[in-house]
Amino acid sequence: MTEYFRLTASQAQAKFKDESLSVEEYAKSLLSRIEARDPVVHAWAYLDQKLILQRARELDGISPEKRGVLHGVAVGVKDVILTKDMPTQHNSPIYEDDAPKLDAASVMLLRANGALIFGKTTTTEFAATTVGPSHKGPKTANPHDPSRTPGGSSSGSGAAVADFQVPVGLGTQTGGSTIRPGSFNGIYAMKPTWNSISREGQKLYSLIFDTLGIYGRSIDDIKLLLDAFQLVDDEPVEDIQIKDAKFALLSFPTPEWPELGPGTVAALQKGAHLLRAHGALVEEITLPDEFRHMNKYHLQVLSGDGRVAFLADYTTSKHHLDPSIVAHVENHDKYRRKEQLVAFDSLAAMRPKLDMLANKYTAIIAPSVIDEATEGLETTGNAAFCAPWTAMHMPVLNVPGFKGNHGLPVGLSLVAARYRDQHLLEVCRVVGRLFEAEGGWKTGP
């Protein structure tokens, strides 16, 4: 049997266009992959095979001139994002089998452009904890080593895309919930500029940080979704060449950020070496002192926002909530509103300054994670190196290409100023091509 499930979304679309593959055939191949691998990876919170094939046949019945730009693209949707024909359960017993009959704005746009909404992928509870999903069944595992975490909170989307169970997936990020799984699973993962994609219809944690995320095994696939969401830079995107490009290799000060592990240290060194060897200028910089409190402020804002976001669930069903969510609502850290305002306003003041720094370079290169995926499935890892770009509202993309000491993937984050998402995408296209060719880890077959 031809392994159509290995196709990227862009490759599958080319076959739909020349009629060498139907959406139904493609969906059946993906389902066969899931049947074979789900007992190991456990990436899905909800999957309805009959519904998938019905939708696939409906898409096949659309005449070519009426097909949308995402025709037949199979998308895994994180289970904190509403889907009108599937439950949205948030990995919480409070919402078990809960099925609001409406789509989130992001899902509505995907459907309108012809995407095949494939199923719901696993998430940590409300996308707000680091406890590996699922709360009621087997834990979601890293497809490259099932004894290790796939990261979180967008655990299922990252694992499913990496394991060829679906070509693209939606995640969310409030701290590091898109970028960390991207690195741990060895795929491309993008957190766009904050509020550039509607969050209507996804579970709220923090209005000031929550951002939709996108997973894919190629930059072309990330761009398919980014274009469908109509992200457009102010300036035309220039042709990007590594030769003569200028990158900042950013390090973070301790103790505000943890020490890096050997896998990420080696990835940063090798990434810089490869770029320099191909003619780029790589300038090593440390995050300036004025940004040292960024992580602390981020956590303070999250705590205040969490008090509000989870109050209703706490009031009605406290006994079903993870202790960390209860701690938000009960303000166990004893943050005063005045402290929250200082944090809120300080982060806002930092953003234009970091934009100015980013605009001096083709892109900033930074760690995505401390190291390879951590052992065990009970926790999804540390988000310390993803969180700055969430707090700063800046677009960030995990670029795979490297391995750690255990042979597992390690990615690097490329960052641009706010609303330069398409520019960042094109930078990552050429950098990703280099890293995958010479870095030691290749995404895909």
Side-chain angles (χ1 to χ4, degrees), residues 91-94 125-126 128-131 135 205 303 306-307 310 314 317-333 378:
N91 189 36
S92 168
I94 301 170
E125 185 176 333
F126 299 125
T129 78
T130 57
V131 179
H135 77 90
Y205 181 2
S303 179
R307 288 165 68 183
F310 300 120
Y314 172 92
S317 306
K318 175 184 174 181
H319 59 291
H320 283 312
L321 293 176
D322 183 81
S324 65
I325 295 176
V326 171
H328 273 330
V329 179
E330 295 180 349
N331 192 22
H332 286 189
D333 290 323
E378 294 303 317

Side-chain angles (χ1 to χ4, degrees), residues 104-282:
S106 55
V107 174
M108 193 182 305
L109 279 168
L110 295 179
R111 285 196 209 269
N113 282 285
L116 174 61
I117 304 302
F118 214 75
K120 305 303 284 290
T121 56
T122 58
T123 175
T124 68
E125 185 176 333
F126 299 125
T129 78
T130 57
V131 179
S134 159
H135 77 90
K136 62 180 180 180
K139 297 289 188 182
T140 305
N142 191 306
H144 307 298
D145 180 348
S147 71
R148 293 174 183 260
T149 180
S153 61
S154 308
S155 309
S157 286
V161 171
D163 200 43
F164 303 97
Q165 297 183 29
V166 73
V168 292
L170 296 186
T172 64
Q173 181 155 308
T174 308
S177 297
T178 294
I179 298 302
R180 187 163 76 257
S183 182
F184 282 179
N185 293 288
I187 57 175
Y188 293 93
M190 185 174 191
K191 181 206 77 69
T193 299
W194 173 80
N195 205 35
S196 58
I197 301 173
S198 174
R199 296 159 295 161
E200 181 182 0
Q202 68 189 53
K203 182 65 176 178
L204 178 66
Y205 181 2
S206 170
L207 268 176
I208 202 63
F209 297 138
D210 291 349
T211 309
L212 194 80
I214 301 170
Y215 291 103
R217 295 191 301 273
S218 75
I219 288 295
D220 283 341
D221 286 4
I222 301 287
K223 184 169 174 57
L224 272 176
L225 267 64
L226 214 62
D227 288 349
F229 290 128
Q230 298 190 19
L231 270 72
V232 180
D233 294 4
D234 282 345
E235 304 297 330
V237 177
E238 298 177 356
D239 182 48
I240 305 295
Q241 302 291 334
I242 289 179
K243 188 177 186 303
D244 298 326
K246 184 180 179 182
F247 295 93
L249 188 69
L250 181 69
S251 61
F252 290 87
T254 57
E256 289 82 4
W257 278 267
E259 296 280 355
L260 292 172
T264 295
V265 170
L268 288 163
Q269 291 172 345
K270 191 166 189 178
H273 169 75
L274 289 174
L275 290 168
R276 286 171 175 145
H278 286 77
L281 174 65
V282 181

